[in-house]
Every structure is written in C-alpha cells, then in structure tokens.
Amino acid sequence: MAHKLAFIGFGVVGQGLAEILRDKKEALKKEEEFEAEIVAISDLMKGSIYHPHGLDIDTVLNVLKETGNLENYPHTPGLITGWDSLKTIRETNADTVIEVSYTDVKTGQPAIDHCKTAFENGKNVVMTNKGPVALAYKELSEIAEQHGVHWGFEGTVMSGTPALRMPIATLAGNNITGIRGILNGTTNYILTKMEDEGVSYEDALKEAQALGYAEADPTSDVEGYDARYKIVILSNYVMNAPLTVEEVSCTGISSITLDDIEQAKKEGKRWKLLAKARKEGAGVVASIAPEKVDISDSLASISGAINAITYETDLLGPVTLSGAGAGKVETGFSLLIDLISISREKQTVKK
C-alpha cells in the first residue's frame, strides 16, 4: 500500500524530493518495498492541490514550470484546490507531511504549528526546517510520542549526509562526550577561498553569493547563526542533552582578514568556523567561533562548501564524517531517508 504524502511548501527541496520519488520509483519498490504517492501540495506562493487518489508528479512539475501555479493542474473529479497549509494537514488522507515551508528561523513558525497539527491528527512529519527542532525539540518530541507518530529531521544539520542518523545507529553504545564540526558550507567556502587564492573576505563572499552558496543577506551564515541552530539540534538529539539557542555563544567570520589567514599559515594552522559542544557535568557547553586548527586536524582538510563533523566517543575515540551540507538532490535525499526509515519500522512491526 502506497505511503501517502502531503507537501507543505514546494520550493527547491520539495521539488527535489518529488523528482527523486519519480525517478527512483521502481528501485525503491524493489529494494525497499517502499511506494510513495503524493496526494497534496500546499504552497503559500504556488497554490494548493489535493486529490485523495494521488497526483501525477510529472504533471505537477510541468504545470509549475509552465504557469507557476499548482492550481492550474488539470481538474479531474475529486480534485480540491485552495486549501491552506493547516487545512491540508488536517483534512487530507496523507500518512506523512513533508514540511519544507518557508519558515522564520527566529520563531520556528509556521513550521512549529504545522508539526503540532500533523502530530495531533495522527500524521508523521519529515522536514528540513531547522527552527522547530532547535527551538521546540522537547515539546514537539513529546507530542509526536503521545500520538504514536514519527518525526524525521535528518536534513536539518548536514543535508543528506547522515550527521544525525549515523551516530544514533552506528555509534550506539558509545558515550558521545563532545562534538566539533564545520556545519556551514558558505563560511567554509569563503575561508578556503581566502587561503587558497589570497582574496579578501568581501571578494570571497561576493563569489559565494554568485555561486548560490550565500544568500543576498548572508548574515545567518557568516555570523554563525545557522551553525548555532545545528549544534543545538545535535546536542539535543545526539548527545541527549537539553540546550537552547540562547545558551550558545556565537561569533562569525566577518572580521577574519587576510593577515589573520597568513599568520595561521605561518603557525601551520588553518582558520575554520567551528561549532562545538562538550558535556560538562549534567549539561553541555556549546559555542560557534572561528578557530585556528592544526593542519593535522581531521577538520583542517575539509575545503570548499563541504561540511564535516567529529564525534568524540569513549570507545572509538574521535569519529569524523564529511559530506555535502546543501543542495537540491542532497537535501531531497535527506527527506527520502526519513521516509524509508518510517517505512522500515512499519514493516518490522508487521513482521
């Protein structure tokens, strides 16, 4: 029986997942016994459509490309248009909500309300929005558990690179005492560019913007706010240690100069914007700050827009994972992994 999906938001990431589901349909069915059916899409700018028996992905993508409005989807008996996000979550027959709406990172809204509504109506949620996980992890986890539904958010930290799932699944039995990571590709790209080509911070930032790595307003990346949300998620989920955004000290890279870069070279070191969390007593101390790391450090070799993370464990010692931290396909894949995880658990329960 197909797993029915409702997309809340249908921008780059949502369309990326839709394309993956279309292109890998047969492989997923054969290898994972996983079948997905998109029944609803609600997007603030692109309109809203719902059909209980499913929407054709190719038609959806073509209509969007040609007209920019989902509500131009061919009208067939049973098709409903015009529902807002909350009505779509409450009243469609979706099993899982794909929450990829535009969300205010400072408040986590409207994604927090989307999650609550989905959980309270017996629907799973998979998402890439950092805000709800960083700001309301405990509350939303409890609501999901009360209603017996799943909440997946693998894509909130390093896109499709399994920064959350890997330690939980494969480092089980270890005590993870600390985390150090390069969790923002934009800043790593800028620092790499400054070191390799001797260009100023301002010029490196302009190139990052031209390539789409940095937004027109790069504040969230370059001042460390993006990485701060991610270390909070890692602390709460991987280290099982409550931590709030306000508790994380945060310094960005905008004051790093070429002189700083050259001085680090002379010392056999390299600048990186590091997100760090370490268990101290019953809690965690965390920070975001640029730091000179030794060339021999596993994180020093991470260049360009790549992300990496090192978990300090009591049994294995340091374990480092690196990979893409952004991208249409990569982030779409993170949602797919969460969906497959839900499917596998359901299959296990059946057996």
Side-chain angles (χ1 to χ4, degrees):
M1 192 161 177
H3 193 114
K4 297 183 187 301
L5 309 176
F7 281 66
I8 304 301
F10 202 61
V12 171
V13 173
Q15 291 175 49
L17 174 60
E19 290 170 5
I20 292 170
L21 293 174
R22 176 196 64 192
D23 298 342
K24 287 190 169 283
K25 181 177 180 179
E26 294 307 318
L28 289 169
K29 187 176 179 180
K30 181 180 178 182
E31 297 166 15
E32 292 291 339
E33 297 179 30
F34 175 72
E35 288 184 78
E37 185 174 66
I38 300 173
V39 294
I41 303 171
S42 180
D43 185 285
L44 193 60
M45 305 301 292
K46 302 178 181 74
S48 174
I49 50 175
Y50 165 53
H51 198 296
H53 301 308
L55 302 164
D56 181 75
I57 295 176
D58 275 325
T59 304
V60 166
L61 294 172
N62 286 336
V63 164
L64 198 55
K65 184 178 179 181
E66 290 170 9
T67 73
N69 192 329
L70 292 165
E71 295 180 18
N72 289 319
Y73 187 90
H75 281 251
T76 54
L79 186 76
I80 297 171
T81 62
W83 284 3
D84 65 19
S85 57
L86 294 175
K87 190 174 178 69
T88 298
I89 292 168
R90 283 194 301 264
E91 300 193 25
T92 61
N93 64 345
D95 303 301
T96 296
V97 171
I98 311 295
E99 210 298 324
V100 284
S101 66
Y102 178 79
T103 291
D104 184 337
V105 181
K106 292 179 181 177
T107 64
Q109 294 292 10
I112 288 176
D113 286 345
H114 291 159
C115 289
K116 287 180 181 177
T117 303
F119 297 154
E120 289 164 358
N121 283 272
K123 293 177 169 70
N124 311 304
V125 174
V126 301
M127 68 192 313
T128 57
N129 273 321
K130 294 181 287 291
V133 195
L135 299 172
Y137 176 76
K138 185 174 185 294
E139 179 189 10
L140 291 176
S141 295
E142 288 173 353
I143 297 172
E145 190 173 344
Q146 286 166 10
H147 290 86
V149 293
H150 298 269
W151 184 27
F153 42 84
E154 181 63 60
T156 58
V157 174
M158 280 172 60
S159 187
T161 303
L164 299 177
R165 183 168 279 102
M166 189 276 280
I168 295 295
T170 61
L171 297 180
N174 280 277
N175 178 22
I176 297 176
T177 57
I179 291 174
R180 296 167 67 240
I182 297 168
L183 301 182
N184 183 271
T186 301
T187 51
N188 203 55
Y189 175 85
I190 290 170
L191 293 172
T192 300
K193 196 83 177 168
M194 290 174 72
E195 181 178 353
D196 290 353
E197 299 181 20
V199 300
S200 68
Y201 165 79
E202 290 78 13
D203 287 343
L205 172 57
K206 284 177 185 173
E207 185 153 342
Q209 288 171 320
L211 291 169
Y213 294 147
E215 301 288 341
D217 178 359
T219 306
S220 180
D221 290 326
V222 300
E223 297 303 336
Y225 306 144
D226 173 70
R228 180 163 59 171
Y229 278 87
K230 293 172 181 176
I231 201 69
V232 168
I233 293 168
L234 285 159
S235 176
N236 279 279
Y237 184 70
V238 175
M239 301 176 81
N240 197 27
L243 183 70
T244 66
V245 172
E246 293 75 23
E247 292 173 309
V248 181
S249 63
C250 188
T251 305
I253 67 163
S254 56
S255 62
I256 300 288
T257 65
L258 281 174
D259 286 343
D260 295 325
I261 298 284
E262 289 306 312
Q263 182 58 40
K265 281 184 182 179
K266 290 174 185 175
E267 297 171 11
K269 296 182 178 181
R270 180 171 287 152
W271 283 100
K272 296 293 179 186
L273 181 68
L274 293 188
K276 298 198 293 187
R278 178 162 296 280
K279 285 184 179 176
E280 288 192 9
V284 164
V285 174
S287 64
I288 308 296
E291 192 173 306
K292 290 183 284 188
V293 299
D294 288 322
I295 296 296
S296 59
D297 191 300
S298 59
L299 296 179
S301 62
I302 305 301
S303 62
I306 299 298
N307 286 192
I309 191 166
T310 297
Y311 306 92
E312 299 288 346
T313 72
D314 61 338
L315 302 178
L316 277 179
V319 178
T320 300
L321 171 72
S322 67
K328 178 181 182 178
V329 173
E330 294 86 350
T331 311
F333 168 72
S334 74
L335 294 164
L336 176 65
I337 282 293
D338 283 330
L339 288 172
I340 290 174
S341 180
I342 292 170
S343 175
R344 285 176 176 174
E345 190 158 326
K346 282 185 176 178
Q347 290 171 25
T348 301
V349 170
K350 284 180 183 177
K351 291 173 183 176

